[in-house]
Amino acid sequence: MFSQAEMCFLAEYAKTMAPVAKALNVLQGDVKVSMGHHLPTIAVLISKLENVRLSLKYCQLLVDALLGGVEKRFGEMMSDPELIAAAILQPMFKTTWTTDDVLQRGLGYIKEHLPSYDEPPLQPNDSSSTSDEDDFFSGLKHTHTQETTKQLDTYLACTSEGMDIFTPCPAVARLSLKLNTGLPASAACERLFSTAGLLFTPRRGRIHSQNLENQLLLKLNKAFFDFRKTATHR
């Protein structure tokens, strides 16, 4: 039987580690995650840990250790203009996740690296219809439909969080695509091996490789199958 103090400690431990676990799930995700998720996730984690520390009795030292570890590992990244710009150009976050001083670094980076003109859409490569005259006047097609700084203001003022927010802001869209690369992670591969380990038990030591592969595919894709309907048809 646990004592009352031990129960309180376990409750505080779970409360402290909950935001850490959620932050790890975000950063190790393989769907809808990009470089722009990095700094906002760390910033929210720090804020949650600082808020939860005020109500703790037993796990304050644990929070201090976690905050110290986050600062040691990610402190320099939190002031990186390129990473800040990537977060700003993520429609989900924009300028709501940090302080004005940090945002100014990212906005300065964005204004410095925005394309100076709007590139025309790609056209099919048809050399037969191209003439020297068309090539000579092709530069006129790079029209300044909207100043890039105004495009940035339009993007920041929009309340939408979908990718359609970039439609009136092609220059901002191109820079966002350049900065918001996918985060490299081995989480999907680790889940695959973990599931395979659950299937390949000592009692199944002589299972055929093809049978193991079929069971693994069924296990990982069970959300796409309706086994009850299959059993009914049989």
Side-chain angles (χ1 to χ4, degrees), residues 53-141:
R53 189 185 187 282
L54 302 176
S55 61
L56 298 179
K57 180 179 180 182
Y58 302 98
C59 293
Q60 290 186 354
L61 293 179
L62 174 60
V63 174
D64 293 339
L66 290 171
L67 290 174
V70 170
E71 175 62 28
K72 181 179 180 180
R73 177 65 179 85
F74 301 105
E76 294 183 1
M77 296 182 183
M78 298 299 292
S79 58
D80 188 331
E82 183 174 343
L83 294 178
I84 298 171
I88 294 174
L89 295 180
Q90 181 60 244
M92 182 178 179
F93 305 114
K94 295 180 186 175
T95 59
T96 61
W97 57 277
T98 188
T99 61
D100 292 338
D101 294 338
V102 175
L103 292 175
Q104 289 305 317
R105 300 178 186 174
L107 292 174
Y109 182 95
I110 294 173
K111 293 176 182 178
E112 182 180 351
H113 289 81
L114 275 176
S116 58
Y117 60 86
D118 294 335
E119 297 178 357
L122 295 176
Q123 300 293 337
N125 186 13
D126 187 1
S127 57
S128 61
S129 61
T130 303
S131 64
D132 294 339
E133 184 179 348
D134 293 334
D135 292 337
F136 181 77
F137 292 107
S138 61
L140 297 179
K141 298 179 181 179

Coordinates of all heavy atoms in Angstrom, one line a residue, residues 53-141:
R53 N 4.9 24.5 -11.8 CA 5.8 24.5 -10.7 C 5.2 25.2 -9.4 O 5.5 24.9 -8.3 CB 7.1 25.2 -11.1 CG 8.2 25.1 -10.1 CD 9.5 25.8 -10.5 NE 10.6 25.6 -9.6 CZ 10.7 26.1 -8.4 NH1 9.8 27.0 -7.9 NH2 11.8 25.9 -7.6
L54 N 4.4 26.2 -9.7 CA 3.8 27.0 -8.6 C 2.9 26.2 -7.7 O 2.8 26.5 -6.5 CB 3.0 28.2 -9.1 CG 3.8 29.1 -10.0 CD1 2.9 30.2 -10.6 CD2 5.0 29.8 -9.3
S55 N 2.3 25.1 -8.2 CA 1.4 24.3 -7.4 C 2.0 23.0 -6.9 O 1.3 22.2 -6.3 CB 0.2 24.0 -8.2 OG 0.5 23.2 -9.4
L56 N 3.3 22.8 -7.0 CA 4.0 21.6 -6.6 C 4.6 21.7 -5.2 O 5.0 22.7 -4.8 CB 5.1 21.2 -7.6 CG 4.6 20.9 -9.1 CD1 5.8 20.6 -10.0 CD2 3.6 19.8 -9.1
K57 N 4.6 20.5 -4.6 CA 5.2 20.4 -3.3 C 6.4 19.5 -3.3 O 7.4 19.7 -2.6 CB 4.2 19.9 -2.3 CG 4.7 19.8 -0.8 CD 3.6 19.3 0.1 CE 4.2 19.2 1.5 NZ 3.1 18.7 2.5
Y58 N 6.4 18.4 -4.1 CA 7.4 17.4 -4.0 C 8.3 17.4 -5.3 O 9.4 16.9 -5.3 CB 6.8 16.0 -3.9 CG 5.9 15.8 -2.7 CD1 4.6 15.9 -2.7 CD2 6.5 15.5 -1.5 CE1 3.8 15.7 -1.6 CE2 5.7 15.3 -0.3 CZ 4.4 15.4 -0.4 OH 3.6 15.3 0.7
C59 N 7.8 17.9 -6.4 CA 8.5 17.8 -7.7 C 9.0 19.1 -8.2 O 9.3 19.2 -9.4 CB 7.5 17.2 -8.7 SG 7.0 15.5 -8.4
Q60 N 9.2 20.0 -7.4 CA 9.8 21.3 -7.8 C 11.2 21.1 -8.4 O 11.6 21.7 -9.4 CB 9.8 22.3 -6.7 CG 8.4 22.8 -6.3 CD 8.4 24.0 -5.3 OE1 9.5 24.3 -4.8 NE2 7.2 24.5 -5.0
L61 N 12.0 20.3 -7.7 CA 13.4 20.0 -8.2 C 13.3 19.3 -9.5 O 14.2 19.6 -10.4 CB 14.1 19.2 -7.2 CG 14.4 19.9 -5.8 CD1 15.2 18.9 -4.9 CD2 15.2 21.2 -6.0
L62 N 12.4 18.5 -9.8 CA 12.2 17.8 -11.1 C 11.9 18.9 -12.2 O 12.5 18.8 -13.3 CB 11.1 16.8 -11.0 CG 10.8 16.1 -12.3 CD1 12.0 15.4 -12.9 CD2 9.6 15.1 -12.2
V63 N 11.1 19.8 -11.9 CA 10.8 20.9 -12.9 C 12.0 21.7 -13.1 O 12.3 22.0 -14.3 CB 9.6 21.8 -12.3 CG1 9.4 22.9 -13.3 CG2 8.3 20.9 -12.2
D64 N 12.8 22.0 -12.1 CA 14.0 22.8 -12.3 C 15.0 22.0 -13.1 O 15.6 22.6 -14.0 CB 14.6 23.1 -10.9 CG 13.8 24.0 -10.1 OD1 12.9 24.7 -10.6 OD2 13.9 24.0 -8.8
A65 N 15.1 20.7 -12.9 CA 16.0 19.9 -13.7 C 15.5 19.9 -15.2 O 16.3 19.9 -16.1 CB 16.1 18.5 -13.2
L66 N 14.2 19.7 -15.4 CA 13.7 19.7 -16.8 C 13.9 21.0 -17.5 O 14.3 21.1 -18.6 CB 12.2 19.4 -16.7 CG 11.8 18.0 -16.4 CD1 10.3 17.8 -16.2 CD2 12.3 17.0 -17.4
L67 N 13.6 22.1 -16.8 CA 13.9 23.5 -17.4 C 15.3 23.7 -17.7 O 15.7 24.3 -18.7 CB 13.3 24.5 -16.5 CG 11.8 24.6 -16.3 CD1 11.4 25.7 -15.2 CD2 11.2 25.0 -17.6
G68 N 16.2 23.2 -16.8 CA 17.6 23.4 -17.0 C 18.1 22.6 -18.2 O 18.9 23.0 -19.1
G69 N 17.5 21.3 -18.4 CA 17.9 20.5 -19.5 C 17.4 21.1 -20.8 O 18.1 21.1 -21.8
V70 N 16.2 21.7 -20.8 CA 15.6 22.3 -22.0 C 16.4 23.5 -22.4 O 16.7 23.7 -23.6 CB 14.1 22.7 -21.8 CG1 13.6 23.5 -22.9 CG2 13.3 21.4 -21.7
E71 N 16.8 24.3 -21.4 CA 17.7 25.5 -21.7 C 19.0 25.1 -22.3 O 19.5 25.7 -23.2 CB 17.8 26.3 -20.4 CG 18.8 27.5 -20.6 CD 18.3 28.5 -21.6 OE1 17.0 28.6 -21.8 OE2 19.1 29.2 -22.1
K72 N 19.6 24.0 -21.7 CA 20.9 23.6 -22.2 C 20.9 23.1 -23.6 O 21.8 23.3 -24.4 CB 21.5 22.5 -21.2 CG 22.9 22.0 -21.6 CD 23.4 21.0 -20.6 CE 24.7 20.5 -21.0 NZ 25.2 19.5 -20.0
R73 N 19.8 22.3 -23.9 CA 19.7 21.7 -25.2 C 19.1 22.6 -26.3 O 19.6 22.6 -27.5 CB 18.7 20.5 -25.1 CG 18.5 19.7 -26.4 CD 19.7 19.1 -26.9 NE 19.5 18.4 -28.2 CZ 19.5 18.9 -29.4 NH1 19.7 20.2 -29.5 NH2 19.3 18.2 -30.4
F74 N 18.2 23.5 -25.9 CA 17.5 24.3 -27.0 C 17.7 25.8 -26.8 O 17.1 26.6 -27.5 CB 16.0 24.0 -26.9 CG 15.7 22.5 -27.2 CD1 15.3 21.7 -26.1 CD2 15.7 22.0 -28.5 CE1 15.0 20.4 -26.4 CE2 15.4 20.7 -28.7 CZ 15.1 19.8 -27.6
G75 N 18.5 26.2 -25.8 CA 18.6 27.6 -25.5 C 19.1 28.4 -26.7 O 18.5 29.5 -27.1
E76 N 20.1 28.0 -27.4 CA 20.6 28.7 -28.6 C 19.6 28.7 -29.8 O 19.5 29.6 -30.5 CB 21.9 28.0 -29.1 CG 23.1 28.2 -28.1 CD 24.4 27.6 -28.6 OE1 24.4 27.1 -29.8 OE2 25.4 27.7 -27.9
M77 N 18.9 27.6 -29.9 CA 17.9 27.5 -31.0 C 16.8 28.5 -30.8 O 16.2 29.0 -31.7 CB 17.3 26.1 -31.0 CG 18.3 25.0 -31.4 SD 17.5 23.4 -31.5 CE 18.9 22.4 -31.8
M78 N 16.4 28.8 -29.5 CA 15.3 29.8 -29.3 C 15.6 31.2 -29.8 O 14.7 32.0 -29.9 CB 15.0 29.8 -27.8 CG 14.6 28.5 -27.2 SD 13.1 27.9 -27.9 CE 11.9 29.1 -27.3
S79 N 16.9 31.5 -30.1 CA 17.3 32.8 -30.6 C 17.7 32.7 -32.0 O 18.3 33.7 -32.6 CB 18.4 33.4 -29.7 OG 19.5 32.6 -29.7
D80 N 17.5 31.6 -32.7 CA 17.9 31.5 -34.1 C 16.9 32.1 -35.0 O 15.7 31.7 -35.0 CB 18.0 30.0 -34.4 CG 18.7 29.7 -35.8 OD1 18.5 30.6 -36.7 OD2 19.3 28.7 -36.0
P81 N 17.3 33.2 -35.7 CA 16.3 33.9 -36.6 C 15.6 33.0 -37.6 O 14.4 33.2 -37.9 CB 17.1 35.0 -37.3 CG 18.3 35.1 -36.4 CD 18.6 33.8 -35.8
E82 N 16.3 32.0 -38.2 CA 15.8 31.2 -39.2 C 14.7 30.3 -38.6 O 13.6 30.1 -39.2 CB 16.8 30.3 -39.9 CG 16.3 29.5 -41.0 CD 17.4 28.7 -41.7 OE1 18.6 29.1 -41.6 OE2 17.1 27.8 -42.5
L83 N 14.9 29.7 -37.4 CA 13.9 28.9 -36.8 C 12.7 29.7 -36.3 O 11.6 29.2 -36.4 CB 14.5 28.1 -35.6 CG 15.6 27.1 -35.9 CD1 16.2 26.5 -34.7 CD2 15.0 26.0 -36.9
I84 N 13.0 30.9 -35.9 CA 11.9 31.8 -35.5 C 11.0 32.1 -36.7 O 9.8 32.1 -36.6 CB 12.4 33.1 -34.8 CG1 13.2 32.7 -33.5 CG2 11.3 34.0 -34.5 CD1 14.0 33.9 -32.9
A85 N 11.7 32.4 -37.8 CA 10.9 32.7 -39.0 C 10.1 31.6 -39.5 O 9.0 31.7 -40.0 CB 11.9 33.2 -40.1
A86 N 10.7 30.3 -39.4 CA 9.9 29.1 -39.8 C 8.6 29.0 -38.9 O 7.6 28.6 -39.5 CB 10.8 27.9 -39.6
A87 N 8.7 29.3 -37.7 CA 7.5 29.2 -36.8 C 6.5 30.3 -37.1 O 5.3 30.0 -37.2 CB 8.0 29.4 -35.3
I88 N 7.0 31.5 -37.4 CA 6.1 32.6 -37.8 C 5.3 32.2 -39.1 O 4.2 32.6 -39.3 CB 6.8 33.9 -38.0 CG1 7.4 34.3 -36.6 CG2 6.0 35.0 -38.5 CD1 8.3 35.6 -36.6
L89 N 6.0 31.6 -40.0 CA 5.5 31.2 -41.3 C 4.7 29.9 -41.3 O 4.3 29.4 -42.3 CB 6.5 31.1 -42.4 CG 7.3 32.5 -42.7 CD1 8.3 32.2 -43.8 CD2 6.3 33.5 -43.2
Q90 N 4.4 29.4 -40.1 CA 3.5 28.3 -39.9 C 2.2 28.9 -39.5 O 2.0 29.5 -38.4 CB 4.1 27.4 -38.8 CG 3.2 26.2 -38.5 CD 3.1 25.2 -39.7 OE1 2.0 25.1 -40.2 NE2 4.2 24.7 -40.2
P91 N 1.1 28.7 -40.4 CA -0.1 29.4 -40.1 C -0.7 29.1 -38.7 O -1.5 29.9 -38.2 CB -1.0 28.9 -41.2 CG -0.1 28.5 -42.3 CD 1.1 28.0 -41.6
M92 N -0.4 28.0 -38.2 CA -0.9 27.6 -36.9 C -0.4 28.5 -35.7 O -1.1 28.6 -34.7 CB -0.6 26.1 -36.6 CG -1.1 25.6 -35.3 SD -0.7 23.8 -35.1 CE -1.4 23.5 -33.5
F93 N 0.8 29.0 -35.9 CA 1.4 29.8 -34.8 C 1.5 31.3 -35.1 O 1.1 32.1 -34.2 CB 2.8 29.2 -34.5 CG 2.8 27.7 -34.2 CD1 3.4 26.9 -35.1 CD2 2.2 27.2 -33.1 CE1 3.4 25.5 -34.9 CE2 2.2 25.9 -32.9 CZ 2.8 25.0 -33.7
K94 N 2.1 31.7 -36.2 CA 2.3 33.1 -36.5 C 3.1 33.8 -35.4 O 4.2 33.4 -35.1 CB 1.0 33.8 -36.9 CG 0.3 33.2 -38.1 CD -1.0 34.0 -38.3 CE -1.8 33.3 -39.5 NZ -3.1 33.9 -39.7
T95 N 2.5 34.8 -34.8 CA 3.2 35.6 -33.8 C 2.6 35.4 -32.4 O 2.7 36.3 -31.5 CB 3.1 37.1 -34.2 OG1 1.7 37.5 -34.2 CG2 3.8 37.3 -35.5
T96 N 1.9 34.3 -32.1 CA 1.2 34.1 -30.8 C 2.0 33.3 -29.8 O 1.5 33.1 -28.7 CB -0.1 33.4 -31.1 OG1 0.1 32.1 -31.7 CG2 -1.0 34.2 -32.0
W97 N 3.2 32.8 -30.1 CA 3.8 31.8 -29.3 C 5.0 32.3 -28.5 O 5.5 31.6 -27.7 CB 4.3 30.7 -30.2 CG 5.2 31.1 -31.3 CD1 4.9 31.6 -32.5 CD2 6.6 31.1 -31.2 NE1 6.0 31.8 -33.2 CE2 7.1 31.5 -32.5 CE3 7.6 30.7 -30.3 CZ2 8.4 31.7 -32.8 CZ3 8.9 30.8 -30.6 CH2 9.3 31.3 -31.8
T98 N 5.4 33.6 -28.7 CA 6.6 34.1 -28.0 C 6.5 35.6 -27.8 O 5.5 36.2 -28.1 CB 7.9 33.7 -28.7 OG1 9.0 34.0 -27.9 CG2 8.0 34.4 -30.1
T99 N 7.6 36.2 -27.3 CA 7.6 37.6 -27.0 C 7.9 38.4 -28.2 O 8.4 37.9 -29.2 CB 8.6 37.9 -25.9 OG1 9.9 37.5 -26.4 CG2 8.3 37.1 -24.6
D100 N 7.7 39.7 -28.1 CA 7.9 40.6 -29.2 C 9.4 40.7 -29.6 O 9.7 40.8 -30.8 CB 7.4 42.0 -28.9 CG 5.9 42.1 -28.8 OD1 5.2 41.2 -29.3 OD2 5.4 43.0 -28.1
D101 N 10.3 40.6 -28.6 CA 11.7 40.7 -28.9 C 12.2 39.6 -29.8 O 12.9 39.7 -30.8 CB 12.5 40.7 -27.6 CG 12.3 42.0 -26.8 OD1 11.9 43.0 -27.4 OD2 12.5 41.9 -25.6
V102 N 11.7 38.4 -29.5 CA 12.0 37.2 -30.3 C 11.4 37.3 -31.7 O 12.0 37.0 -32.7 CB 11.5 35.9 -29.6 CG1 11.8 34.7 -30.4 CG2 12.3 35.8 -28.2
L103 N 10.1 37.8 -31.7 CA 9.4 37.9 -33.0 C 10.1 38.8 -34.0 O 10.1 38.6 -35.2 CB 8.0 38.3 -32.8 CG 7.1 37.3 -32.1 CD1 5.7 37.9 -31.8 CD2 6.9 36.0 -32.9
Q104 N 10.7 39.9 -33.4 CA 11.4 40.9 -34.3 C 12.5 40.3 -35.0 O 12.8 40.6 -36.2 CB 11.8 42.1 -33.5 CG 10.7 43.0 -32.9 CD 9.8 43.4 -34.1 OE1 10.3 43.9 -35.1 NE2 8.5 43.4 -33.8
R105 N 13.2 39.3 -34.4 CA 14.3 38.6 -35.1 C 13.8 37.8 -36.3 O 14.4 37.9 -37.4 CB 15.1 37.7 -34.1 CG 15.7 38.4 -32.9 CD 16.4 37.4 -32.0 NE 16.8 38.1 -30.8 CZ 17.4 37.4 -29.8 NH1 17.5 36.1 -29.8 NH2 17.8 38.0 -28.7
G106 N 12.7 37.1 -36.0 CA 12.2 36.3 -37.1 C 11.6 37.2 -38.2 O 11.8 36.8 -39.4
L107 N 10.9 38.2 -37.9 CA 10.3 39.1 -38.9 C 11.4 39.8 -39.7 O 11.2 40.0 -40.9 CB 9.4 40.1 -38.2 CG 8.1 39.6 -37.6 CD1 7.4 40.7 -36.8 CD2 7.2 39.0 -38.6
G108 N 12.5 40.2 -39.1 CA 13.6 40.7 -39.8 C 14.2 39.7 -40.8 O 14.5 40.1 -41.9
Y109 N 14.3 38.5 -40.4 CA 14.8 37.5 -41.3 C 13.9 37.3 -42.5 O 14.3 37.1 -43.6 CB 15.0 36.2 -40.5 CG 15.5 35.0 -41.3 CD1 16.9 34.8 -41.3 CD2 14.7 34.2 -42.1 CE1 17.4 33.7 -42.1 CE2 15.2 33.2 -42.9 CZ 16.6 32.9 -42.8 OH 17.1 31.9 -43.6
I110 N 12.6 37.3 -42.2 CA 11.6 37.1 -43.3 C 11.7 38.2 -44.3 O 11.7 38.0 -45.5 CB 10.2 37.0 -42.7 CG1 10.0 35.7 -41.8 CG2 9.1 36.9 -43.8 CD1 8.7 35.6 -41.1
K111 N 11.7 39.4 -43.8 CA 11.7 40.6 -44.7 C 13.0 40.6 -45.5 O 13.0 41.0 -46.7 CB 11.6 41.9 -43.9 CG 10.2 42.0 -43.2 CD 10.2 43.3 -42.4 CE 8.8 43.4 -41.7 NZ 8.8 44.6 -40.8
E112 N 14.1 40.1 -45.0 CA 15.4 40.1 -45.7 C 15.4 39.0 -46.7 O 16.1 39.2 -47.8 CB 16.5 39.9 -44.7 CG 17.9 39.9 -45.3 CD 19.0 39.6 -44.2 OE1 18.6 39.6 -43.0 OE2 20.1 39.4 -44.6
H113 N 14.7 37.9 -46.5 CA 14.8 36.8 -47.4 C 13.6 36.6 -48.3 O 13.5 35.6 -49.1 CB 15.0 35.5 -46.6 CG 16.4 35.4 -46.0 ND1 16.7 36.1 -44.8 CD2 17.5 34.8 -46.4 CE1 18.0 35.8 -44.5 NE2 18.5 35.0 -45.4
L114 N 12.6 37.5 -48.2 CA 11.4 37.3 -49.1 C 11.8 37.6 -50.5 O 12.6 38.5 -50.8 CB 10.3 38.3 -48.7 CG 9.4 37.9 -47.6 CD1 8.4 39.0 -47.3 CD2 8.6 36.6 -48.0
P115 N 11.3 36.9 -51.5 CA 11.6 37.1 -52.9 C 11.2 38.5 -53.3 O 10.2 39.0 -52.8 CB 10.8 36.1 -53.7 CG 10.6 35.0 -52.6 CD 10.5 35.7 -51.3
S116 N 11.9 39.2 -54.1 CA 11.7 40.6 -54.5 C 10.6 40.7 -55.6 O 10.2 41.8 -55.9 CB 12.9 41.3 -55.0 OG 13.5 40.6 -56.1
Y117 N 10.2 39.5 -56.2 CA 9.2 39.6 -57.2 C 8.4 38.3 -57.2 O 8.8 37.3 -56.5 CB 9.8 39.8 -58.6 CG 10.8 38.7 -59.0 CD1 10.3 37.5 -59.6 CD2 12.1 38.8 -58.7 CE1 11.2 36.5 -59.9 CE2 13.0 37.8 -59.0 CZ 12.5 36.6 -59.6 OH 13.4 35.6 -59.9
D118 N 7.2 38.3 -57.8 CA 6.4 37.2 -57.9 C 6.7 36.3 -59.1 O 6.7 36.8 -60.3 CB 4.9 37.6 -58.0 CG 4.4 38.2 -56.7 OD1 5.1 38.0 -55.7 OD2 3.5 39.0 -56.8
E119 N 7.1 35.1 -58.9 CA 7.4 34.2 -60.0 C 6.2 33.8 -60.7 O 5.2 33.4 -60.1 CB 8.3 33.0 -59.5 CG 9.6 33.4 -58.9 CD 10.3 32.2 -58.4 OE1 9.8 31.1 -58.6 OE2 11.5 32.3 -58.0
P120 N 6.2 33.7 -62.0 CA 5.0 33.3 -62.7 C 4.8 31.8 -62.6 O 5.8 31.1 -62.3 CB 5.3 33.6 -64.2 CG 6.8 33.6 -64.3 CD 7.2 34.1 -63.0
P121 N 3.6 31.2 -62.7 CA 3.4 29.8 -62.6 C 4.2 29.1 -63.7 O 4.4 29.6 -64.8 CB 1.9 29.6 -62.8 CG 1.4 30.8 -63.5 CD 2.4 31.9 -63.0
L122 N 4.6 27.8 -63.4 CA 5.3 27.0 -64.4 C 4.4 26.7 -65.5 O 3.2 26.3 -65.4 CB 5.8 25.7 -63.7 CG 6.9 25.9 -62.6 CD1 7.2 24.6 -62.0 CD2 8.1 26.6 -63.2
Q123 N 4.9 26.8 -66.7 CA 4.2 26.5 -68.0 C 4.8 25.2 -68.6 O 5.9 24.9 -68.4 CB 4.3 27.6 -69.0 CG 3.8 28.9 -68.5 CD 2.3 28.9 -68.3 OE1 1.6 28.1 -68.9 NE2 1.8 29.8 -67.4
P124 N 4.0 24.4 -69.3 CA 4.5 23.2 -69.9 C 5.6 23.6 -70.9 O 5.6 24.6 -71.5 CB 3.3 22.7 -70.7 CG 2.1 23.3 -70.0 CD 2.5 24.6 -69.5
N125 N 6.6 22.7 -70.9 CA 7.8 22.9 -71.7 C 7.5 22.6 -73.2 O 7.6 21.4 -73.6 CB 9.0 22.1 -71.2 CG 10.3 22.4 -71.9 OD1 10.3 23.4 -72.6 ND2 11.3 21.6 -71.7
D126 N 7.1 23.6 -74.0 CA 6.8 23.3 -75.4 C 7.7 24.2 -76.2 O 7.4 25.4 -76.4 CB 5.3 23.7 -75.6 CG 4.9 23.3 -77.1 OD1 5.7 22.8 -77.8 OD2 3.7 23.6 -77.4
S127 N 8.8 23.7 -76.6 CA 9.8 24.4 -77.4 C 9.3 24.9 -78.7 O 9.8 25.8 -79.3 CB 11.1 23.6 -77.5 OG 10.8 22.4 -78.2
S128 N 8.3 24.2 -79.3 CA 7.9 24.5 -80.6 C 7.1 25.8 -80.7 O 7.1 26.5 -81.7 CB 7.0 23.4 -81.2 OG 5.8 23.2 -80.3
S129 N 6.5 26.2 -79.6 CA 5.8 27.4 -79.5 C 6.6 28.6 -79.0 O 6.0 29.7 -78.8 CB 4.5 27.3 -78.7 OG 4.8 27.0 -77.4
T130 N 7.8 28.4 -78.7 CA 8.7 29.4 -78.1 C 9.5 30.1 -79.2 O 10.1 29.4 -80.0 CB 9.6 28.8 -77.0 OG1 8.8 28.2 -76.1 CG2 10.5 29.9 -76.4
S131 N 9.5 31.4 -79.2 CA 10.3 32.1 -80.2 C 11.3 33.0 -79.5 O 11.3 33.2 -78.3 CB 9.4 32.9 -81.1 OG 8.8 33.9 -80.3
D132 N 12.3 33.5 -80.3 CA 13.2 34.5 -79.7 C 12.6 35.7 -79.2 O 13.0 36.3 -78.2 CB 14.2 34.9 -80.8 CG 15.1 33.7 -81.3 OD1 15.2 32.7 -80.5 OD2 15.7 33.7 -82.4
E133 N 11.5 36.1 -79.8 CA 10.8 37.3 -79.3 C 10.2 37.0 -78.0 O 10.2 37.9 -77.1 CB 9.7 37.7 -80.3 CG 9.0 39.0 -80.0 CD 7.9 39.3 -81.0 OE1 7.9 38.7 -82.1 OE2 7.1 40.2 -80.7
D134 N 9.6 35.8 -77.8 CA 9.0 35.5 -76.5 C 10.1 35.5 -75.4 O 9.9 36.0 -74.3 CB 8.3 34.1 -76.5 CG 7.1 34.2 -77.4 OD1 6.5 35.3 -77.6 OD2 6.7 33.1 -77.9
D135 N 11.3 34.9 -75.7 CA 12.3 34.9 -74.7 C 12.8 36.3 -74.4 O 13.2 36.6 -73.2 CB 13.5 34.1 -75.3 CG 13.2 32.6 -75.3 OD1 12.3 32.2 -74.6 OD2 13.8 31.9 -76.2
F136 N 12.8 37.2 -75.4 CA 13.3 38.5 -75.2 C 12.4 39.3 -74.2 O 12.9 40.1 -73.4 CB 13.4 39.3 -76.5 CG 13.9 40.7 -76.4 CD1 15.3 40.9 -76.2 CD2 13.0 41.8 -76.5 CE1 15.7 42.2 -76.1 CE2 13.5 43.1 -76.4 CZ 14.8 43.3 -76.2
F137 N 11.1 39.1 -74.3 CA 10.2 39.9 -73.5 C 9.7 39.1 -72.3 O 8.8 39.5 -71.6 CB 9.0 40.3 -74.3 CG 9.3 41.3 -75.3 CD1 9.3 41.0 -76.7 CD2 9.5 42.6 -75.0 CE1 9.6 41.9 -77.6 CE2 9.8 43.6 -75.9 CZ 9.8 43.3 -77.3
S138 N 10.3 37.9 -72.0 CA 9.9 37.1 -70.9 C 10.0 37.8 -69.5 O 9.3 37.5 -68.6 CB 10.6 35.7 -70.9 OG 12.0 36.0 -70.7
G139 N 11.0 38.7 -69.4 CA 11.2 39.3 -68.1 C 10.1 40.2 -67.7 O 9.9 40.5 -66.6
L140 N 9.3 40.6 -68.7 CA 8.1 41.5 -68.4 C 7.0 40.7 -67.6 O 6.1 41.3 -67.0 CB 7.5 42.1 -69.7 CG 8.5 43.0 -70.4 CD1 7.8 43.5 -71.7 CD2 8.9 44.2 -69.6
K141 N 7.1 39.4 -67.7 CA 6.1 38.6 -67.0 C 6.2 38.5 -65.5 O 5.4 38.1 -64.8 CB 6.1 37.2 -67.6 CG 5.7 37.2 -69.1 CD 5.8 35.7 -69.6 CE 5.5 35.7 -71.1 NZ 5.5 34.3 -71.7

